[in-house]
Amino acid sequence: MVIEKLAPINFIVVHFLRFYVSAVRCPTLRGPTNGNMRGSKSYRGSLRFTCDRVYNLVGAKKIRCQADGTWSDRVPTCKAIRCPTLTPPENGAVKSSNSYRDVTFKCDPGYKLVGTSTRTCQSGGTWSGGSPTCRAECRNGYQLLAQTCFRVSRDKKNNDDAQAACEKEGTTLAMPKTRELDVSLRNWVSKFGKSAFFWIGLKQVPVKIWQWEDGSHIGKHDYKVRYYDLCAVD
């Protein structure tokens, strides 16, 4: 009996490993209210945010999709721009636009706007430009003093005739209710001579109780009656 030694047989087992690579994607996000969002939600992709015209962005302008499938920051918000309420000019008005960002100024009839007619609420919450004023436009023969038009009549009249002359022109006797107006008026009529006297719109109702021709009372900030020795026709 012949026994042959067989060479060992080597078995090579090959294992085939399959690798599955899945793309990283971050959750779908919703853009901010009153704003817009653009970009990609894939890994390393980014989203950019903007707000509508009358809103400010609060938060990150840009966020990235990270390797773990999360975003680098939260979605920002859009906050409405608010500027302080503007006061209308004396003898004028202020009106907001439909967007509430622009305001326009207008003056009453007989007054002219001095300054910008439109102001814009800026991103920092401040108004552009400065506050305009309404300046009286005086007719022929009238002088502008402290935003009021005056005319002096040198004709001698009693109080009733002086008042009637003013009413005929659609005006009233001068009523210098403020210190600024009173000083301006006094300086102006002083050019006609220190001995000149003029009527103004003061009356006694009843005796020893003074008030203006329009029915308003003399306030604590007005001059005392004895100071009104100079009068003018408005």
Side-chain angles (χ1 to χ4, degrees):
M1 180 176 183
V2 178
I3 299 176
E4 295 181 355
K5 185 177 181 181
L6 299 176
I9 300 175
N10 295 325
F11 293 92
I12 300 175
V13 178
V14 179
H15 295 276
F16 293 94
L17 300 179
R18 294 183 179 181
F19 295 91
Y20 295 91
V21 179
S22 60
V24 176
R25 297 181 70 84
C26 288
T28 300
L29 298 178
R30 179 178 295 180
T33 304
N34 301 309
N36 297 286
M37 178 182 70
R38 292 182 180 180
S40 170
K41 61 180 180 179
S42 300
Y43 173 53
R44 291 186 177 180
S46 61
L47 294 176
R48 291 176 173 81
F49 304 92
T50 57
C51 291
D52 297 340
R53 183 172 178 264
V54 293
Y55 293 85
N56 270 339
L57 189 73
V58 179
K61 295 181 179 180
K62 177 181 177 181
I63 61 176
R64 290 185 176 277
C65 180
Q66 304 175 119
D68 60 356
T70 61
W71 291 102
S72 60
D73 209 332
R74 65 182 63 184
V75 175
T77 59
C78 292
K79 184 178 180 181
I81 298 173
R82 291 286 184 267
C83 284
T85 302
L86 292 176
T87 302
E90 186 176 0
N91 301 307
V94 58
K95 183 179 180 181
S96 299
S97 63
N98 292 333
S99 66
Y100 296 98
R101 187 174 183 181
D102 299 321
V103 295
T104 55
F105 297 88
K106 291 185 178 181
C107 293
D108 298 337
Y111 292 85
K112 181 180 180 181
L113 189 72
V114 178
T116 180
S117 61
T118 303
R119 298 182 70 182
T120 300
C121 183
Q122 303 173 118
S123 59
T126 59
W127 291 102
S128 64
S131 299
T133 58
C134 292
R135 185 178 65 190
E137 291 185 305
C138 299
R139 67 185 74 172
N140 291 336
Y142 281 77
Q143 173 72 33
L144 180 64
L145 296 172
Q147 298 298 311
T148 306
C149 295
F150 292 96
R151 180 180 69 81
V152 169
S153 174
R154 300 304 304 274
D155 298 333
K156 292 184 178 181
K157 296 182 177 68
N158 58 33
N159 182 270
D160 291 339
D161 290 340
Q163 186 174 2
C166 291
E167 292 176 352
K168 186 177 180 180
E169 297 183 5
T171 61
T172 63
L173 285 171
M175 291 179 282
K177 298 180 181 181
T178 65
R179 181 179 296 272
E180 178 189 10
L181 184 55
D182 183 81
V183 171
S184 298
L185 190 57
R186 286 174 180 274
N187 291 337
W188 185 49
V189 298
S190 65
K191 299 177 182 179
F192 298 95
K194 293 183 178 180
S195 61
F197 289 86
F198 302 89
W199 293 110
I200 62 172
L202 274 178
K203 61 183 179 180
Q204 285 183 315
V205 184
V207 179
K208 295 184 179 181
I209 297 179
W210 290 88
Q211 68 180 26
W212 297 107
E213 287 289 348
D214 61 5
S216 60
H217 295 286
I218 299 177
K220 63 181 180 179
H221 298 297
D222 296 317
Y223 289 177
K224 295 181 180 179
V225 175
R226 68 173 183 269
Y227 290 166
Y228 291 106
D229 53 355
L230 296 177
C231 306
V233 178
D234 183 10

